[in-house]
Amino acid sequence: MNPIESNQLPLDEMLISSYEMSRETIVRGDISKVELMRDTALQHFKTNRFPDSTHEKWKNTEIENLTCEDFVQLIEPAQADRNMDELFRCEVHNFDTEIVSMLNGWYHDSNEKLRTLPDGVVVGSFKAAMNAYPALFEQYYGEIAQNTLNGFTAINTALVQDGVFIYVPDGVNARKTLQIIKMIDLEENLFVQNRNLIILGRNSSLSLMHCDDSINQHSSLVNTVTEIFVSEGARFELYKLQNLNDQSGLVNTTFIRQMADSTVKTNTLTFNCGLIRNTIHINLDGSGAHADVLGLYLMDKSQHVDNQIRINHNQPNCTSNELFKGILDDQASAVFNGYIHVARDAQKTNAYQNNNNILLKPTATINTKPFLEIYADDVKCSHGATIGQLDQDAMFYLRSRGISKANARLLLMYAFASDIISEISIEPLRNRIDDMVKKRLRGELSVCEKCVLHCGSPEKEYHFDIDYSKL
Amino acid sequence: MLLNIKNLHVAINGKEIIKGLNLGVNKGEVHAIMGPNGTGKSTLAAAITGREGYDITQGEIWYKGKNIVEMPAEERANEGIFLSFQYPVEIPGVSMTNFMRTAINAQREYRGQAPIQAGDFLRMMEEKKKLVDIHEKLTNRSVNEGFSGGEKKKNEIFQMAMLEPTLAILDETDSGLDIDALKVVARGVNQLRTSENAFVVITHYQRLLELIVPDFVHVLFDGKIIKSGGRNLALELEEKGYEWIKQEHLV
Ligand SMILES: Nc1ncnc2c1ncn2[C@@H]1O[C@H](COP(=O)(O)OP(=O)(O)OP(=O)(O)O)[C@@H](O)[C@H]1O
Ligand SMILES: [Mg+2]
């Protein structure tokens, strides 16, 4: 273990000096493209630094509250002092996933660094993959991540330590859902730079779950950049589960490029975290591409979630459907920024964008800004945002049938969330998320001891007072 | 007396709507409440069923020997008070089935009974659906969502049949119903009538009262009951309107 101590330097200075002092260790094993990109990205970072709330795009997210803290960075993997296999075991009933584990920002060793599954899907460590598949890295790595977007993406490219690489060859339909479980467990405040590269060949398909967890109560700041390439006719589903402790910060930036007739569905489920900034940039770069971008956030205390969605309709005949829903309690706050850009040539675009919020207390806040920029003339676009409380007429209606106030509230909150949950196409996962949402709404979902989906041991599976079992 | 309302005053946002109302209902009785628009009929129903924001500034509502003015809405419901809403509420995302099962189980819990078995519940639904001629599809949908006006009203009677209340208040359940649906609703009510329960039927039309025959008819005007009589009063109102009663009242 070789943590770089902060030495009281501000975080940005600490990171710059760590790069300069430990460059040799950091670039060890890099292919030249990755190494060269580090240097350019560092220059971007030196110029732009971390954003703060004086920046237009960050004005409602006080990221400086996190970037002013002291963190350590692991430029080499730390030894685990617990049995990690136990930790990473996922116990969703009837849900057999291929698990990829990340511990403190490093690909976890207990399985091989790179494996080819029987169906032909290649999955493994980012570090290991760049040497095994240099041609794919040459073609795809760093091609859609924008270091100019902000300092987080730039510093990620400069300091990337490890991450997950997935390659689904042409025509391959991944048999199992892949599940990335990222765990933070260090007795120090940790800053992690993860980089994922996901490539889907023509007419291939993959479902991926990306779970961010923490199992201790230390501060951490996880900065993940994911690049996803979805070739012609490919289908990709991404479920992001975010359940970290209240001291954690998560900056999750996802860049997706879709080619003709491909479909992508992302579902960002935020249950717990101190501060989260999710950015999803989708480029619809081929005719007939379709993207569903969905999200649900259930925040309380003084948690904060910021969803920044940008969808570029660059080609004709593409459709996108964006729906984010949130329930905010206590002093929780949320930001939604949806931006759809329809290029001049992108005729027959169909783009729908919506953000709905329920504020349970007057102290909760939401800043929502759906936005359309359209240069084509033959398009169907709509956008909207709502902010409200629980419907009082509905509350009385339910109570007038004998349903307690608490259960009536739960029913209405659950009903509000249900159209996001019902979009989860993997049934066992949908059932489990459904369970988690109910638990969360009752205020009984704690940051899990283990994986995010270990919400109760299987024998003592959670039962809701209101029984929603199908009849 | 099952329900005994004494000198009731109800205000909404500080504005007094019910202004000293008295009403007594015994088990086995059907009372009709009639009266011009905006005189406080729905307000009275909301006050009896415990809607928040309807402030009881004076008076008492005695039900089964208890003054219930402080009792939360759900407890009143579990004590057997039911309101068929003038405007049933749409609740997207909550299926009729889950809604009804939750309500039935709340009632059972209140009575110290175990939750209903799925099979029993399904049988119960089937039986009550027949009573009001409701289609399968409706119970699979979200509560009232996209229901036609008539379907919503039938759905209220369906819920009433499921919950078997002791005191049912029907607020203009007849308005918006076609003639056949009106008969279905009336049949539903008549089948549920026993010597142990009572109905308060708010309506503008004599037509319903031919099918659900009331023991008493009351005229509500300006927040008070200004005239009470037998079923013939409804006929008289149909013929002559309200003006003569208002005149009588003012004198
Ligand atoms: N939430 C409210 N805020 C202010 N005034 C209200 C509110 N609800 C009802 N009122 C007023 O109270 C009065 C009585 O209304 P209510 O709905 O009880 O009348 P009603 O007798 O049921 O009429 P209708 O026959 O049209 O159904 C009306 O003047 C109405 O405008
Ligand atoms: Mg009314």
Side-chain angles (χ1 to χ4, degrees), chain B residues 42 86 171-172:
Chain B
S42 297
Q86 183 175 3
D171 191 356
E172 296 199 25

